[in-house]
Amino acid sequence: MDNVVAIEIKKCSKIYHKNGKDIVALKNINLSFEYGKFYLIVGHSGSGKTTLMNILGLIDSKYDGIVKINNKEVNNLKSKELAKIRNTNIGFIFQDFYLDNFLTAQENVLTPMLINQKKYSYKEMEDKSQILLDKVGLSERIKHFPKELSGGEQQRVAIARALANNPNIILADEPTGNLDVENEEYIFKLLKEMSKNFKCIIMVSHSKDAKKYADVVYNLENGEINYDED
Amino acid sequence: MTKISFLSIKKFFRIKSNITICILLSICMSFMCVVNFLPVSVKNYWDNHLLNNVFYRTYMLYEQGKNNYIKQILDDMPEVAGAYTFDGYYSLTSMEELTDEYNETPVIMVHGFVNPPEVVEGSQIDENNKDENLLICPNKFYPFVRNDMVKDPENGYLDTTREIDLRKYLNKEITLASDLGDGEKTKFKLIGLYDTKNNRFMDKSMCFSYYSNVQELNKSAKGFSKDNSLIYELNKISDAHLVEAKLKELGYYANPSVTLNIEVATQSFDLFIYLSKGLMIIILLIILIISFIRIKKDEKNLMINKLLGYNNQQFSIQCITNSILTFIVTLLISMPLIFGLWKLFQIYLPQYDSTFSGIKILFSYEALIKMIILLALILVLITIINIISKFKKNLINIIKS
Ligand SMILES: Nc1ncnc2c1ncn2[C@@H]1O[C@H](COP(=O)(O)OP(=O)(O)OP(=O)(O)O)[C@@H](O)[C@H]1O
Ligand SMILES: [Mg+2]
C-alpha cells in the first residue's frame, strides 16, 4: 500500500471576498497525501490551515484548482455525491468535538453508519460502535451523553465516530486544542496507530509534541507551503 | 432509512422543547375543538326541537346599541323562541337568505321597541301585495321617532314617541314616519294586536298589517352587508309553540322550518369563536417562533449531520419523522384534554351563560376531525419551512458560524 495517493490537490487557491476586499487564504498549493502516512500541517494562526482542511474534507467547494480523492476529481461533483464521499472515505475530528448532545456516545458513533445505508442491522451497528468505543478506551461510557463526558472523552467519542465507516482518510483540525497533555498524547498515539494501518492521517496542530508522531510536516505561511523547514 | 427514523424518534423525546411544543399545541387545539362543539350542539338542539313546529322566527328586534337590550326584550316576551336581530345592516342579508330560500315573505313579528320604518328604510309599499307582509305588533308601542316627525294621528300619522294604545287604530290605515333622513312614510293597516302583558293574542281583527316590500329591503341592504351572519337568541321553546298555535288560530301562515346560521350564533358564541380564532393565530405564532429558534439552535447538529454525510433526502426524512411525532404526541395529549374540557363545558357553560341552558353540549366528531386536519396542515407548513431552511444552508457557512 505504500505510496498510494489518497488526496491530491493541484494549483489550489482560495480567496475570501469580504467587504469588497480579497483575502488570499491559500496561494497555488500543490500537495499530495499518501496512505499509511501521518501528515502534520503547522503554521501561524491565520495561515490558512483550516481553509486547506475544509477543502481537503470537501466541506468547502468554492476554490480554484483541482482536488482528487483516490485519483478521482471531486471538483464537479454534486453535493449528494460529496456527502457520500465525506461519509464513507473521510473521518473528521475537530477541536470542538462536534458531537450531537442529544445522542449517547454509542449513538453518536453509529450515526455515520446509519447515514451510510449499508445493510447492517441496527444491532450490528450498535455492536460495531461498541467495538470502536472500546478501541478508544470508552467501553464504560457508551450510554453517556456528551455533557456527561470529559473533554478528552468527548474527543475520543468523536474519533470513534470518525472511524465508524472505516474511512481511509482522517482529517483532524487541532484535535487536541481543548485537551490536556495526557489526553493529547493518547490521541496522537491513536492517530499514529491508524496511520500504521494504512490510513492517511492529516492533522493540524499547534502542539510541539505533534512533530514526534508525524511522518511529514507541511508548514503553511500566508497561504503558501514553506518547504524550508523540513 | 427506517433506522435513521428510529434514532430520530429517540432523539425527539430527549429534546424538551419538542414536548413543550406538543403540550402547547394540545392545549390550544383542544380548546378550539371543544369550542366548535357549541354551534353544532345548538344546531342539533334546534333541529330536534323546532324544525317541524315553529313558524318563521324572524322577530325583527331593533337593537338600540346595547347587547342586553334584546335580552331584556326577550325576557319581556317569553314566547319568543328566537330572534334574528337586525343589527345595523348586516343581518339584512339574512333576510335576503330567508326570502330566497322560501320564496315568500316571512311573518315578521315586531316587539314594541321596534321602529319598522327605520328597519325597512327605503322600501316601497307594495299595494298589490298587502297581505303577504304581516306585522304583528304588541299593543304598547314605543318606536323611536324624532319629535319633529310626529304628526297628527287623525291625518294618518302616528305619534310614535309616546306610549300609545294602538287599539284606537284597529282596522285603520296608519302611517309611520321614519326617524331617519327624509322621513319616508310607511303605511300600515292595523289588523290585530298582541298583548305583551298577558302574552296573549287578541283576535285576528286586532292584528297589525304592515305593507312592506322585502325585495326593496334587500336591495337597500346590498352593499352594506358584511357577512351572512345572524345573531341568534334562544328562549323557551314551549312558548314558541304557543305563539305558533295562536298564529294559526288567527289564520296566518306559520312557516314550519327554522333557518339557522350556525357560523355565528349567539353573542357568547362570538366570544368563543373570536377566542378560538385568536388562539389559532397564537398557536401559529408560537409554533413559528419555536421552530425558528429550533432551527437556529439546531444549526450545530445540522452541521454535524451534513459533515457526516447526511444528504437532503435524509434531512427530509428526519424533519418528517419529527413532524409525525409531534402530530401523534399532540393528539395523544389532546384527547384527554378535549374530553375534560368537554365535560367542563357541559357542566359550567349552562350556569355561566343562560343561552346554553337546556342545551346538551354534544361531542362533535366533525369538530375533532377539523382540528386534526388543521394540526396536520400546520405541521406540514412547519416541515416545509424546516426542510427548506436545511437545504439552503451551506456546510462551509455553518461551520464558520
Ligand atoms: N469566511 C471567511 N471570510 C473571510 N476571510 C476568512 C474566512 N475564513 C477565514 N478567513 C481568513 O482566511 C485566513 C485563513 O484562515 P484559516 O481559518 O484557514 O486560518 P488557520 O490557519 O486555521 O488559523 P488558526 O490556526 O487560528 O485556526 C485568515 O486570514 C482568515 O482571516
Ligand atoms: Mg484553524
Side-chain angles (χ1 to χ4, degrees):
Chain A
M1 281 285 274
D2 229 24
N3 295 329
V4 178
V5 177
I7 309 181
E8 193 178 6
I9 56 171
K10 281 183 187 163
K11 294 182 180 170
C12 192
S13 301
K14 171 79 187 182
I15 300 164
Y16 290 109
H17 305 281
K18 187 80 189 171
N19 301 334
K21 274 193 205 164
D22 287 354
I23 300 162
V24 183
L26 289 179
K27 267 179 246 167
N28 208 8
I29 303 255
N30 294 295
L31 284 176
S32 70
F33 301 91
E34 291 167 8
Y35 287 117
K37 283 189 180 164
F38 191 148
Y39 293 86
L40 175 67
I41 297 170
V42 293
H44 295 294
S45 183
S47 56
K49 303 182 295 297
T50 300
T51 307
L52 177 63
M53 292 295 264
N54 285 344
I55 291 171
L56 294 176
L58 313 186
I59 292 167
D60 192 356
S61 50
K62 291 199 181 89
Y63 53 86
D64 298 321
I66 295 165
V67 174
K68 285 182 179 177
I69 289 187
N70 293 332
N71 222 6
K72 192 177 164 227
E73 259 189 56
V74 295
N75 296 51
N76 297 318
L77 295 182
K78 290 191 190 109
S79 72
K80 189 173 176 174
E81 293 163 312
L82 291 176
K84 186 86 189 154
I85 295 175
R86 277 201 303 275
N87 177 254
T88 46
N89 295 338
I90 306 173
F92 293 92
I93 306 163
F94 292 92
Q95 181 173 355
D96 297 325
F97 324 134
Y98 290 157
L99 296 175
D100 189 329
N101 287 331
F102 293 103
L103 299 180
T104 63
Q106 189 177 37
E107 287 160 351
N108 261 298
V109 174
L110 62 79
T111 304
M113 301 184 216
L114 282 174
I115 297 168
N116 195 261
Q117 298 174 330
K118 274 190 196 143
K119 297 274 168 275
Y120 291 123
S121 72
Y122 197 82
K123 185 83 191 66
E124 284 170 320
M125 291 183 194
E126 279 188 326
D127 293 344
K128 275 187 81 178
S129 54
Q130 181 144 16
I131 293 168
L132 286 170
L133 284 166
D134 282 349
K135 236 189 208 169
V136 294
L138 288 175
S139 40
E140 303 294 312
R141 299 278 187 277
I142 59 167
K143 295 286 179 221
H144 283 231
F145 288 95
K147 59 170 182 274
E148 298 161 351
L149 293 169
S150 75
E153 287 166 337
Q154 284 186 51
Q155 192 57 298
R156 281 186 269 157
V157 173
I159 291 171
R161 185 183 61 186
L163 296 173
N165 285 326
N166 198 19
N168 289 319
I169 301 162
I170 303 287
L171 298 177
D173 193 348
E174 298 186 38
T176 58
N178 286 337
L179 306 179
D180 62 11
V181 186
E182 278 119 71
N183 272 301
E184 179 176 276
E185 199 188 330
Y186 186 94
I187 280 159
F188 285 165
K189 276 184 179 157
L190 261 175
L191 292 172
K192 182 70 190 171
E193 202 184 300
M194 286 184 232
S195 76
K196 282 180 183 153
N197 287 326
F198 304 109
K199 290 190 193 300
C200 172
I201 313 293
I202 306 170
M203 180 172 81
V204 169
S205 181
H206 287 293
S207 167
K208 289 193 180 69
D209 293 337
K211 281 185 183 158
K212 285 192 279 182
Y213 299 89
D215 299 315
V216 184
V217 180
Y218 290 129
N219 187 13
L220 263 181
E221 255 174 42
N222 293 324
E224 288 176 301
I225 300 288
N226 186 344
Y227 292 97
D228 298 345
E229 240 177 68
D230 88 346
Chain B
M1 210 126 300
T2 44
K3 291 170 213 153
I4 284 190
S5 304
F6 179 64
L7 198 61
S8 302
I9 292 170
K10 272 193 184 175
K11 199 173 149 181
F12 179 87
F13 288 103
R14 288 177 191 158
I15 300 175
K16 280 197 190 97
S17 70
N18 283 336
I19 308 300
T20 316
I21 289 179
C22 290
I23 293 173
L24 280 174
L25 262 175
S26 317
I27 294 172
C28 296
M29 285 293 170
S30 348
F31 191 80
M32 275 175 57
C33 180
V34 176
V35 163
N36 281 310
F37 289 178
L38 303 180
V40 180
S41 307
V42 173
K43 181 175 172 13
N44 181 280
Y45 178 83
W46 281 104
D47 282 351
N48 287 337
H49 287 83
L50 285 169
L51 198 61
N52 298 318
N53 49 17
V54 171
F55 65 98
Y56 237 130
R57 289 166 300 98
T58 26
Y59 304 83
M60 293 166 67
L61 296 169
Y62 188 64
E63 194 179 4
Q64 292 293 326
K66 276 180 202 156
N67 286 345
N68 56 4
Y69 197 75
I70 286 160
K71 269 219 162 82
Q72 199 185 316
I73 293 168
L74 289 167
D75 289 341
D76 283 353
M77 201 176 160
E79 69 274 25
V80 172
Y84 295 108
T85 62
F86 274 43
D87 179 14
Y89 298 107
Y90 85 140
S91 343
L92 290 176
T93 347
S94 322
M95 190 70 171
E96 186 177 34
E97 258 179 25
L98 296 177
T99 40
D100 276 356
E101 197 171 333
Y102 295 97
N103 211 11
E104 56 202 9
T105 313
V107 172
I108 297 171
M109 181 131 182
V110 181
H111 194 264
F113 295 94
V114 174
N115 183 356
E118 190 180 318
V119 174
V120 293
E121 192 196 355
S123 68
Q124 298 295 313
I125 292 162
D126 184 357
E127 294 288 347
N128 307 323
N129 224 355
K130 285 181 185 175
D131 283 326
E132 281 185 29
N133 305 302
L134 299 175
L135 184 81
I136 301 165
C137 193
N139 53 356
K140 297 279 171 68
F141 200 57
Y142 305 86
F144 294 89
V145 176
R146 253 179 18 218
N147 274 344
D148 58 326
M149 295 209 169
V150 176
K151 295 280 161 64
D152 178 12
E154 300 300 309
N155 295 327
Y157 289 91
L158 184 62
D159 179 357
T160 52
T161 49
R162 281 175 279 128
E163 185 180 322
I164 41 171
D165 192 344
L166 285 173
R167 266 175 273 214
K168 272 206 271 185
Y169 303 100
L170 261 178
N171 292 317
K172 277 186 195 153
E173 241 182 42
I174 52 168
T175 304
L176 288 171
S178 167
D179 66 339
L180 289 173
D182 55 0
E184 196 172 328
K185 300 159 197 95
T186 317
K187 273 184 187 158
F188 300 89
K189 188 183 174 200
L190 189 63
I191 57 166
L193 282 173
Y194 149 77
D195 185 359
T196 36
K197 260 217 181 98
N198 306 312
N199 297 319
R200 238 174 239 138
F201 283 99
M202 293 164 190
D203 58 62
K204 186 184 171 182
S205 65
M206 294 173 82
C207 273
F208 189 43
S209 168
Y210 166 37
Y211 319 139
S212 78
N213 187 323
V214 178
Q215 256 70 43
E216 279 296 320
L217 176 92
N218 292 337
K219 257 188 232 158
S220 71
K222 276 209 177 96
F224 293 107
S225 62
K226 287 173 197 137
D227 52 35
N228 293 335
S229 45
L230 288 173
I231 293 173
Y232 212 85
E233 282 287 340
L234 315 173
N235 216 300
K236 279 188 204 152
I237 301 99
S238 56
D239 291 329
H241 299 320
L242 201 104
V243 174
E244 184 201 5
K246 283 285 176 194
L247 274 170
K248 274 198 177 140
E249 221 179 277
L250 292 167
Y252 288 115
Y253 174 65
N255 195 308
S257 58
V258 171
T259 311
L260 268 181
N261 186 333
I262 285 304
E263 289 303 307
V264 178
T266 63
Q267 287 164 15
S268 40
F269 268 20
D270 276 354
L271 177 75
F272 283 115
I273 302 269
Y274 284 134
L275 250 171
S276 76
K277 276 182 185 162
L279 265 177
M280 199 171 119
I281 294 165
I282 293 170
I283 300 172
L284 274 173
L285 277 178
I286 291 175
I287 290 171
L288 285 180
I289 290 168
I290 293 178
S291 40
F292 279 117
I293 291 173
R294 226 164 62 179
I295 288 169
K296 263 264 160 287
K297 268 190 169 174
D298 222 34
E299 223 150 57
K300 188 187 150 201
N301 283 338
L302 174 69
M303 182 210 69
I304 294 168
N305 288 335
K306 274 212 162 170
L307 196 70
L308 297 179
Y310 257 72
N311 56 44
N312 285 349
Q313 191 195 350
Q314 287 164 323
F315 273 125
S316 309
I317 290 172
Q318 202 187 33
C319 290
I320 292 166
T321 310
N322 274 351
S323 293
I324 291 174
L325 283 173
T326 311
F327 184 70
I328 293 171
V329 174
T330 304
L331 282 190
L332 285 179
I333 304 174
S334 293
M335 289 307 147
L337 268 181
I338 287 174
F339 193 78
L341 262 177
W342 175 43
K343 287 283 162 211
L344 221 72
F345 271 44
Q346 258 183 356
I347 297 165
Y348 291 107
L349 206 56
Q351 292 177 16
Y352 153 80
D353 188 342
S354 58
T355 304
F356 293 97
S357 58
I359 294 184
K360 198 175 168 217
I361 312 284
L362 300 171
F363 190 93
S364 159
Y365 286 100
E366 202 189 325
L368 184 68
I369 287 164
K370 259 193 209 162
M371 185 210 88
I372 294 173
I373 291 172
L374 181 72
L375 179 67
L377 284 178
I378 291 174
L379 289 176
V380 165
L381 180 81
I382 287 168
T383 315
I384 291 169
I385 294 174
N386 251 314
I387 291 176
I388 290 173
S389 82
K390 285 192 175 170
F391 279 16
K392 269 191 166 173
K393 284 268 154 51
N394 203 314
L395 181 53
I396 184 73
N397 293 338
I398 354 177
I399 247 181
K400 287 273 175 189
S401 62

